[in-house]
Amino acid sequence: MTAQHAKIHVIHENPAWLPPLAEAFGRAGLPWQELDLSRGTFDLSSPPPEGVFYNRMSASSHTRGHRYAAELTAGVLAWLTRHGRIVVNGPAALDLEISKARQYAALEAGGLVVPRTVMVRDEAEAVLDAARRHFAPGPVILKPNRGGKGLGVRLFPSADALGAYLADAPVEEAPVDGIWLLQDYVRAPRPVITRAEFVGRRFVYAVEVDTTAGFELCPADVCAVGDAFCPAGDAPAVPAAPRFAILPEGIEAPLRQKLEAFLDRAGVDVAGIEFIRDAAGQVLVYDVNTNTNYNAAAEEAAGLAGTERSGPGALAAFLGRQLGEAGRLAA
Ligand SMILES: Nc1ncnc2c1ncn2[C@@H]1O[C@H](COP(=O)(O)OP(=O)(O)O)[C@@H](O)[C@H]1O
Ligand SMILES: [Mg+2]
């Protein structure tokens, strides 16, 4: 295959998340194809196709029946990088995507503050013991180390409430990598979190997300929230305002620079980074999403839809530049 036939290959396992990207590629006139790693056979003794590979394997792939898609992706990314292909969100990004423990280590190394977290092997007695020892009298958050979409993230008022949950927890809710995280609950003065979007390791925009209805905060339209867990314990009130709103003022420059430096250092090209400001105004970063989805309604309302300042638009422009670079390297 020659460089003229080079394409953007989108590595994924969930076709439902592709249409916004397909539209942006179409608008930019970029050749692309999907590489669905929910399955696949790879001849590792042959070179991969020409082009640029954009990895958007998701930490939540196991929740769609693709238990080993992330493991298959790790093998494919190793093969691609060994052959010198340009990989956007390469092995280092996948490594962070599937482990919050590794995210937190990388964030702290970059001078960012994360909520106090205790990591425990999935064993009910050990989890309860750690909750009593480190988080008494409560509250405490329980979340899987390999997360996604907020699934399995729960707030408990006390260690005893956590114990009662664990005693009856359905097997399918066990963390897929065998690791639970216990975490300080960060009380925000307003019920919102912020998600800052980065493409090519540079800030694109920040979106504020109303958390009144619960913890399942995937911005993709296809992840419309069902019976999400309500942190308040009562029936979730439906917020009158849109759940996702782009902040016209963005985020403060020192925070933006720190987050961009973190991405540079961690080798992550595309990410949505989530944080909460506590009552004292401190920023606590708790989630790095390398397979970020963008909220179309929020982009529309902010006048960004269809432009290079939208998430998919910025991605298409960035990947188009990478494809040009791949062509020059192959020439
Ligand atoms: N330490 C915390 N304090 C307060 N709220 C939290 C905390 N951790 C998570 N949440 C809430 O739960 C949501 C999902 O948690 P997150 O860590 O982002 O998991 P996931 O990787 O599944 O998205 C967050 O967006 C936030 O609303
Ligand atoms: Mg999250």
Side-chain angles (χ1 to χ4, degrees):
M1 190 182 281
T2 62
Q4 289 95 293
H5 299 113
K7 288 184 176 143
I8 297 164
H9 302 260
V10 179
I11 292 173
H12 75 98
E13 53 74 46
N14 184 9
W17 287 339
L18 290 183
L21 206 50
E23 204 184 301
F25 286 147
R27 214 177 300 119
L30 292 167
W32 74 285
Q33 72 184 43
E34 60 176 304
L35 180 49
D36 182 347
L37 290 193
S38 59
R39 60 189 64 80
T41 306
F42 298 87
D43 177 2
L44 299 180
S45 49
S46 300
E50 296 293 339
V52 164
F53 291 77
Y54 167 40
N55 160 40
R56 39 176 309 131
M57 182 48 56
S58 163
S60 64
S61 45
H62 61 280
T63 66
R64 289 175 289 279
H66 305 147
R67 168 62 187 89
Y68 295 110
E71 283 72 13
L72 182 62
T73 303
V76 169
L77 298 184
W79 176 57
L80 296 173
T81 48
R82 170 258 177 272
H83 285 278
R85 294 292 176 273
I86 293 181
V87 182
V88 171
N89 275 2
L94 179 66
D95 202 53
L96 292 196
E97 172 71 14
I98 61 172
S99 170
K100 282 202 166 60
R102 295 199 290 263
Q103 288 175 25
Y104 295 164
L107 285 162
E108 286 192 324
L112 291 147
V113 182
V114 305
R116 191 170 59 97
T117 303
V118 172
M119 174 167 69
V120 200
R121 172 81 179 86
D122 173 26
E123 200 265 298
E125 232 167 84
V127 178
L128 183 54
D129 185 54
R132 287 201 172 117
R133 193 134 39 97
H134 297 277
F135 295 91
V140 60
I141 288 214
L142 176 73
K143 62 170 77 172
N145 181 52
R146 189 188 291 197
K149 301 190 295 185
L151 287 174
V153 179
R154 289 189 158 74
L155 171 67
F156 297 96
S158 65
D160 285 345
L162 168 67
Y165 163 75
L166 288 174
D168 270 339
V171 208
E172 60 276 11
E173 292 195 9
V176 70
D177 65 353
I179 299 171
W180 280 120
L181 302 180
L182 292 167
Q183 193 168 83
D184 268 343
Y185 175 56
V186 184
R187 275 178 214 284
R190 284 189 305 133
V192 296
I193 64 106
T194 309
R195 180 167 164 132
E197 298 292 355
F198 298 82
V199 172
R201 307 184 182 186
R202 293 295 165 259
F203 178 76
V204 181
Y205 64 67
V207 62
E208 196 170 83
V209 187
D210 187 317
T211 55
T212 315
F215 284 177
E216 294 185 24
L217 301 176
C218 177
D221 294 332
V222 284
C223 296
V225 180
D227 55 345
F229 173 72
C230 175
D234 298 313
V238 178
R243 287 196 80 204
F244 295 83
I246 289 171
L247 298 171
E249 70 279 15
I251 57 175
E252 60 274 29
L255 177 60
R256 193 188 68 220
Q257 283 152 13
K258 238 182 207 179
L259 292 170
E260 288 178 346
F262 154 73
L263 294 174
D264 268 336
R265 186 182 161 131
V268 175
D269 305 299
V270 180
I273 302 182
E274 295 175 11
F275 58 85
I276 307 180
R277 286 178 208 274
D278 69 12
Q282 184 177 38
V283 167
L284 292 120
V285 185
Y286 62 85
D287 190 21
V288 178
N289 304 276
T290 67
N291 75 316
T292 195
N293 285 299
Y294 306 101
N295 187 266
E299 291 192 346
E300 190 72 48
L304 304 180
T307 76
E308 286 194 7
R309 292 187 304 124
S310 71
L315 255 178
F318 173 67
L319 292 169
R321 289 195 296 277
Q322 300 298 307
L323 191 60
E325 178 64 19
R328 277 188 293 281
L329 289 177

